[in-house]
């Protein structure tokens, strides 16, 4: 197989990132836009020693789970990449990727994994938070001043609709309204939920109702993008926290604006929140005003020393790190001195599997694994892994 070779291949599955995976003479070949159990003609566009990438030319025998995409911008916009696959098949593909990460990266045996539970989402109009890119060169005209990044092109597409976006964002796009662009940024974030609309360089800060509580957030600070799924995740965390040692404080690591801490704090005498983003910590203080909480705006590579210096002991901890996962030294610290129950919220199956190996080697057991489909029509995987400390000690 060489560059520009046209080959006929049977695709087997969906790989991490969303490309379909087939094999040519035993070599993995990734095809964007392909589907499982599908025969295609494709052209090799990228050749490596152990794998290759190809572009789809023709569908010879379509997959039984292939469907017609519902968005006019699909394939051009850089957002969705699984719209051509039936939703239940998307869930199955993500579940397979998550399991494979634990086996291949985490080194788990199949019998060491708990039964994987899948929590589906509404497949359309689910997305409350989106990032747009500025079209400053077109600002002199009457055309749209912002858009979405194109797929693999670097081009910004002035989309006029997004079927996966929440109604407020769809209305913004359909009516071709413009928003004030941030003067020193090439991209900005908007958030819409039940009539609340926030935007960087506009009304940035607001309050939404999450389950039975008000939560303050800021468009410029990370917040989950699927509120309906976030509520389901929070209910799971509350249930898990109630099984922990509630005589000791709880911890919310990578706490953001304090969403998880707000809901679990009432079960514990105190909650400790740690987060690098100082602005996020400031909002977390507002969200937990009047609660017995302590806040640390520090990078995760110093959390271990902070915990030791303050002699904190936790009955329960939740960690929601970015895509890179836990800081290595912090993961080692959790493995050695962690709380009896640890809930790990992950947005990347590879880093979750890697960190899970560290935790299990340190004395934890993986007792629960759930896939929360926060991002239908995309290959993004959000999950919840729950660990029990077999050695039953505290920090």
């Amino acid at each position: 197989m060489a560059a520009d070779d046209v080959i006929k291949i049977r695709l087997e599955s969906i790989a991490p990132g969303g490309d379909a995976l087939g094999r040519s003479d035993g070599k993995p070949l990734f095809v964007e836009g392909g589907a499982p159990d599908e025969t295609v003609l494709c052209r090799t566009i990228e050749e490596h020693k152990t794998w290759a990438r190809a572009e789809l030319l023709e569908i010879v025998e379509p997959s039984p789970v292939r469907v017609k995409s519902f968005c006019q911008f699909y394939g051009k916009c850089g957002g969705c990449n699984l719209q051509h696959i039936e939703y239940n098949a998307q869930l199955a593909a993500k579940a397979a990727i998550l399991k494979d990460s634990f086996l291949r990266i985490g080194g788990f045996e199949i019998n060491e994994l708990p039964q994987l539970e899948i929590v589906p989402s509404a497949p359309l109009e689910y997305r409350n938070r989106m990032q747009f890119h500025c079209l400053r060169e077109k600002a002199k005209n009457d055309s749209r001043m912002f858009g979405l990044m194109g797929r693999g092109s670097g081009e910004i597409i002035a989309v006029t609709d997004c079927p996966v976006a929440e109604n407020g964002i769809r209305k913004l796009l359909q009516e071709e309204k413009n928003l004030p662009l941030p003067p020193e940024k090439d991209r900005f974030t908007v958030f819409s939920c039940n009539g609340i609309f926030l935007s960087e360089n506009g009304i940035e800060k607001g309050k939404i109702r999450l389950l039975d509580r008000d939560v303050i957030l800021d468009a410029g600070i990370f917040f989950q993008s699927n509120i309906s799924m976030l509520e389901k995740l929070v209910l799971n965390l509350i249930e898990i926290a109630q099984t922990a040692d509630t005589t000791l404080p709880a911890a919310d690591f990578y706490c953001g604006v304090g969403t998880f801490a707000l809901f679990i704090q009432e079960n514990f005498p105190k909650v400790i929140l740690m987060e690098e983003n100082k602005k996020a910590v400031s909002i977390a203080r507002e969200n937990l005003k009047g609660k017995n909480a302590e806040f640390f705006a520090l990078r995760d590579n110093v959390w271990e020393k902070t915990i030791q210096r303050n002699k904190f002991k936790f009955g329960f901890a939740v960690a929601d790190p970015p895509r890179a996962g836990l800081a290595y030294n912090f993961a080692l610290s959790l493995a050695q001195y962690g709380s009896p129950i640890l809930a790990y919220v992950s947005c990347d199956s590879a880093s979750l599997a890697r960190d899970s190996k560290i935790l299990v080697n340190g004395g934890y057991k993986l007792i629960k694994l759930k896939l929360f489909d926060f991002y239908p029509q995309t290959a993004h995987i959000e999950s919840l892994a729950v660990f029990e400390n077999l050695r039953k000690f505290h920090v």
Side-chain angles (χ1 to χ4, degrees), residues 8-22:
K8 182 178 178 181
I9 190 172
R10 183 73 173 178
L11 301 175
E12 305 168 0
S13 60
I14 297 298
D19 288 350
L21 170 65

Side-chain angles (χ1 to χ4, degrees), residues 87-383:
Y87 182 56
N88 286 329
Q90 293 182 30
L91 294 175
K94 292 181 184 183
I97 292 169
L98 182 57
K99 288 180 181 178
D100 180 68
S101 295
F102 273 85
L103 300 177
R104 183 172 46 85
I105 300 172
F108 285 73
E109 299 293 334
I110 190 66
N111 60 2
E112 294 178 306
L113 296 180
Q115 182 176 355
L116 176 61
E117 301 177 56
I118 300 176
V119 184
S121 169
L124 299 175
E125 291 193 338
Y126 68 82
R127 185 149 189 165
N128 301 90
R129 183 176 182 269
M130 293 186 70
Q131 188 176 82
F132 292 110
H133 293 255
C134 300
L135 277 165
R136 299 187 190 281
E137 68 277 8
K138 293 188 177 182
K140 296 179 181 179
N141 304 322
D142 293 330
S143 60
R144 173 63 49 80
M145 297 169 61
F146 61 89
L148 296 173
M149 183 65 70
R151 179 165 302 282
S153 66
E155 177 188 3
I156 300 171
I157 301 171
V159 299
T160 54
D161 194 11
C162 179
V164 302
E166 190 266 356
N167 185 60
I169 300 176
R170 289 195 77 176
K171 187 176 180 181
L172 168 74
L173 297 173
Q174 291 167 350
E175 296 181 359
E176 298 193 357
K177 295 179 181 179
N178 275 314
L179 294 170
L181 301 183
E184 297 179 355
K185 297 177 69 174
D186 292 328
R187 53 190 179 182
F188 62 98
T189 302
V190 301
F191 180 92
S192 178
C193 181
N194 297 327
I196 302 296
F197 190 90
L198 307 176
S199 174
E200 287 187 89
N201 206 45
I203 300 175
E204 293 194 18
K205 193 174 177 181
K207 183 186 296 182
I208 65 167
R209 193 71 175 172
L210 193 67
L211 295 173
D212 60 347
R213 318 244 169 125
D214 290 332
V215 179
I216 301 167
L217 65 148
D218 188 294
I221 297 174
F222 174 78
F223 198 82
Q224 287 285 4
S225 302
N226 186 329
I227 298 304
S228 175
M229 291 299 291
L230 176 58
E231 290 183 330
K232 294 178 182 180
L233 174 59
V234 166
L235 288 173
N236 269 256
L237 290 174
I238 293 172
E239 182 180 351
I240 296 162
Q242 290 171 344
T243 69
D245 184 348
T246 56
T247 66
L248 291 171
D252 186 352
F253 300 120
Y254 307 91
C255 69
V257 299
T259 306
F260 297 152
L262 177 63
F263 285 91
I264 65 173
Q265 54 79 29
E266 63 187 23
N267 294 303
F268 300 90
K270 187 177 186 179
V271 63
I272 308 299
L273 296 89
M274 295 189 176
E275 164 66 47
E276 175 183 350
N277 189 309
K278 290 180 171 57
K279 190 174 181 181
V281 172
S282 177
I283 296 177
R285 290 179 183 275
E286 294 183 65
N287 279 322
L288 278 91
K289 186 177 181 180
K291 311 297 183 184
N292 193 5
E294 194 168 350
F295 304 85
F296 294 86
L298 302 168
R299 290 181 61 88
D300 56 0
N301 59 0
V302 298
W303 290 354
E304 175 190 8
K305 294 179 180 178
T306 303
I307 292 170
Q308 297 290 345
R309 184 170 59 248
N310 288 275
K311 298 181 179 180
F312 286 135
K313 295 182 179 180
F314 302 120
F316 173 72
V318 56
D320 185 11
R323 192 171 300 277
L326 303 174
Y328 180 67
N329 286 337
F330 181 57
L332 291 176
S333 176
L334 285 178
Q336 187 175 4
Y337 304 112
S339 57
I341 300 291
L342 170 65
Y344 187 141
V345 179
S346 167
C347 61
D348 184 85
S349 58
S351 59
L352 172 62
R354 178 203 67 207
D355 293 341
S356 296
K357 182 177 183 178
I358 296 173
L359 294 170
V360 168
N361 286 344
Y364 275 102
K365 180 181 180 181
L366 177 64
I367 61 171
K368 188 184 293 287
L369 186 60
K370 280 193 173 186
L371 191 160
F372 285 82
D373 196 30
F374 272 76
Y375 299 99
Q377 320 304 338
T378 82
H380 293 296
I381 297 175
E382 295 264 345
S383 53

